[in-house]
Amino acid sequence: MAKDMRSYIEQLEKAGELSRVKDEVNVEADIGRRLFASRESALLFQNVKGYPGWSVLGQAPANMRHIAIAFGTEPNRVVREFANRIDKGLVPCKMLPRGPIKDRVLLGDDARLHALPSHVIAEKDPGRYIAGGLCIVKDPETGLRNMAFHRLQVREDGRMGIFMVEGRHTWHIYRKYEIMNKPMPMAVMIGHHPMYYFAAAYTGSLGLDELEVAGALLGEPVELNACETIDVEVPAHAEIVIECEVMPNLREQEGPFSEFTGYYGGHHDKPVVVPKAITMRKDAIYKAVQSAALTESIFYNGLPMAVALFRDLRNVAGYVDLKDVSCNWGSTFNVVVQMTPRFYGEARQVLLAAVSSLYSHQKIAVAVDEDVDIYDPQDVAWAIATRVNPEIDVTVIPGVRGHILDNSLPELTREGITTPHRLGSRMIIDATKPPTCDREARMRFDRVRPPAAI
Ligand SMILES: Cc1cc2nc3c(=O)[nH]c(=O)nc-3n(C[C@H](O)[C@H](O)[C@H](O)COP(=O)(O)O)c2cc1C
Ligand SMILES: [Mn+2]
């Protein structure tokens, strides 16, 4: 049996990590409020006003425990396990005769977006959004697939606004269609196993099929079905697929939207998406993603980032006794590196690499030892409080390009500057114990533990 969202729901429920919400909720406010507040439990809404028969799943995964369940391991082994599965190589997809995604096929006027229980995510959003839609497109020149997250604004006229960051693969592919003045066929997948979401947020080169990454993470090939109205293949065990076209040479207002930073962003003219068909499973479960809640949506980006950093940082200066990396200490602008330092200055060397990786997000980097739980913000704060002498252990690196959505850094937009960007600084904090080569100094930082069981 293919791993899908239903098998994951079953696993969460068995582990006591899922709450079924039986009281009535509306899509305009209740779902967003409840998801925003739920940090410990995944929520399955079973009584959505105006959507009889529908269920909506959110905050799944909401935390590292839930992610560990998806990977079949412990929270502190997830990054290593993710890296191992990627290192084993991509798993090619295979075509399947009609799978469950074809249980219901809605074409033409029946393909109504408002028939789906998408929800209003934040107070100042202009309306309902699909934030967890995985957009699958094909490069018209190479035929190679791409799958990525792109938020979709559900408009009153039954169309959608889409945000494709310039430079991202979907944008690049869209521009190829646009130059030919052709609409870009695009399938939006809603609801599947968490590995699809991690794969979609994984950063690889153009031409890397993120569905093959999903196969590597799942440990089984992704089974595909052809779409009904467009030349794109979609996972056969997904809950919902919207088949659509992204119109060429058309821009209309989209946003503002609740960004991953926890602030509102983007309020510009963006391309327009026209739905052509909706296919779904019997009793389809809608997958809501509550962006800006600093939980589920941050993990989708933060976990693949942590894996990329983990794979690089273990090679700094040849070898590092690296244990784990977390990009979810409050925000992906922070990174926590867990390592056993062997030499004086080694942790700082690793931290410099951590703020200068293939991502531009990481602004503040902290290194801690193995005895600190990097998934517990309180424990990281304890290490900073008790193992840092600020004048020695904190270093600020000025004049470094920052992330464009980091409002705390000045934006350079004056005349003569062709591309707006931000110039700021980075901070590294060495909160490790003295290195293993200095045993005496290191011993003074032995942590108090309760008596061992006898
Ligand atoms: C919840 C969530 C929402 C996202 N929304 C968008 C978006 O609206 N536009 C965008 O360009 N990237 C968005 N991203 C980021 C991209 O999906 C991500 O950078 C991805 O790796 C890009 O794929 P690519 O490498 O194939 O270009 C989002 C990521 C997450 C986790
Ligand atoms: Mn890609």
Side-chain angles (χ1 to χ4, degrees), residues 329 368-369 371-373 376-388 431 433 445-449:
W329 181 45
V368 297
D369 268 274
D371 61 351
V372 174
D373 179 355
D376 177 358
Q378 175 75 9
D379 222 30
V380 176
W382 172 82
I384 294 173
T386 65
R387 292 178 175 172
V388 169
K433 300 191 271 187
F445 289 89
D446 269 356
R447 244 185 127 155
V448 173
R449 297 283 181 200

Side-chain angles (χ1 to χ4, degrees), residues 131-395:
L134 302 185
C135 300
I136 306 173
V137 299
K138 274 201 219 173
D139 189 314
E141 282 169 11
T142 62
L144 296 173
R145 249 192 309 266
N146 196 75
M147 175 172 75
F149 279 91
H150 293 282
R151 71 182 195 224
L152 297 152
Q153 182 181 346
V154 179
R155 307 184 340 174
E156 285 310 313
D157 66 358
R159 297 176 156 205
M160 296 182 282
I162 183 169
F163 180 37
M164 297 173 274
V165 172
E166 265 185 59
R168 289 269 179 257
H169 296 159
T170 317
W171 170 260
H172 188 71
I173 292 168
Y174 170 66
R175 287 290 300 147
K176 290 189 184 183
Y177 282 101
E178 191 162 54
I179 287 163
M180 297 187 283
N181 201 27
K182 282 188 182 162
M184 173 172 75
M186 179 173 88
V188 178
M189 171 167 80
I190 302 172
H192 214 317
H193 194 275
M195 297 308 173
Y196 287 85
Y197 297 81
F198 294 127
Y202 184 82
T203 297
S205 43
L206 179 69
L208 172 81
D209 184 348
E210 282 87 359
L211 284 169
E212 296 190 353
V213 176
L217 294 177
L218 289 160
E220 63 189 28
V222 168
E223 295 175 327
L224 297 176
N225 273 181
C227 280
E228 302 297 305
T229 60
I230 53 174
D231 177 24
V232 177
E233 299 80 33
V234 290
H237 297 273
E239 294 294 325
I240 303 161
V241 165
I242 311 171
E243 301 180 8
C244 25
E245 284 180 341
V246 189
M247 305 318 286
N249 302 306
L250 176 65
R251 302 287 187 273
E252 286 172 10
Q253 191 173 303
E254 189 269 355
F257 182 68
S258 41
E259 271 293 351
F260 73 88
T261 49
Y263 300 101
Y264 293 96
H267 181 224
H268 313 286
D269 286 350
K270 316 232 174 67
V272 175
V273 185
V274 179
K276 297 186 74 182
I278 298 178
T279 69
M280 52 184 146
R281 292 177 71 148
K282 189 167 165 287
D283 304 323
I285 303 168
Y286 182 85
K287 178 70 180 73
V289 171
Q290 180 69 18
S291 62
L294 309 182
T295 48
E296 177 172 11
S297 57
I298 296 288
F299 278 114
Y300 289 143
N301 263 333
L303 185 61
M305 260 179 208
V307 171
L309 288 168
F310 179 79
R311 291 172 74 184
D312 287 347
L313 298 184
R314 61 188 170 181
N315 296 323
V316 168
Y319 172 79
V320 175
D321 190 1
L322 187 66
K323 306 296 183 192
D324 204 356
V325 175
S326 169
C327 293
N328 295 284
W329 181 45
S331 165
T332 44
F333 290 162
N334 291 335
V335 53
V336 185
V337 176
Q338 189 187 45
M339 62 183 283
T340 305
R342 296 171 304 152
F343 311 105
Y344 280 106
E346 190 189 18
R348 219 169 309 165
Q349 195 176 21
V350 171
L351 290 170
L352 284 171
V355 292
S356 197
S357 68
L358 74 159
Y359 296 102
S360 56
H361 296 68
Q362 287 73 38
K363 177 174 65 172
I364 298 172
V366 185
V368 297
D369 268 274
E370 207 178 339
D371 61 351
V372 174
D373 179 355
I374 63 171
Y375 300 108
D376 177 358
Q378 175 75 9
D379 222 30
V380 176
W382 172 82
I384 294 173
T386 65
R387 292 178 175 172
V388 169
N389 174 3
E391 74 174 337
I392 308 280
D393 295 319
V394 178
T395 312

Side-chain angles (χ1 to χ4, degrees), residues 92-137:
C93 305
K94 64 178 193 201
M95 290 301 288
L96 193 74
R98 284 174 84 81
I101 189 61
K102 305 295 183 183
D103 286 350
R104 291 188 66 199
V105 176
L106 306 172
L107 300 168
D109 289 347
D110 290 337
R112 283 191 322 110
L113 288 179
H114 281 84
L116 304 176
S118 58
H119 76 293
V120 178
I121 293 172
E123 210 173 11
K124 292 186 186 168
D125 288 359
R128 288 155 66 163
Y129 263 97
I130 299 171
L134 302 185
C135 300
I136 306 173
V137 299

Side-chain angles (χ1 to χ4, degrees), residues 8-20 38-44 57-70 75:
Y8 184 54
I9 289 174
E10 236 179 80
Q11 282 184 303
L12 286 174
E13 191 151 38
K14 256 197 209 139
E17 297 283 359
L18 178 116
S19 307
R20 289 176 182 266
S38 188
R39 314 240 142 181
E40 294 302 318
S41 191
L43 300 182
L44 185 64
L57 177 73
Q59 291 294 60
N63 52 49
M64 282 305 285
R65 287 195 315 277
H66 297 178
I67 295 174
I69 288 170

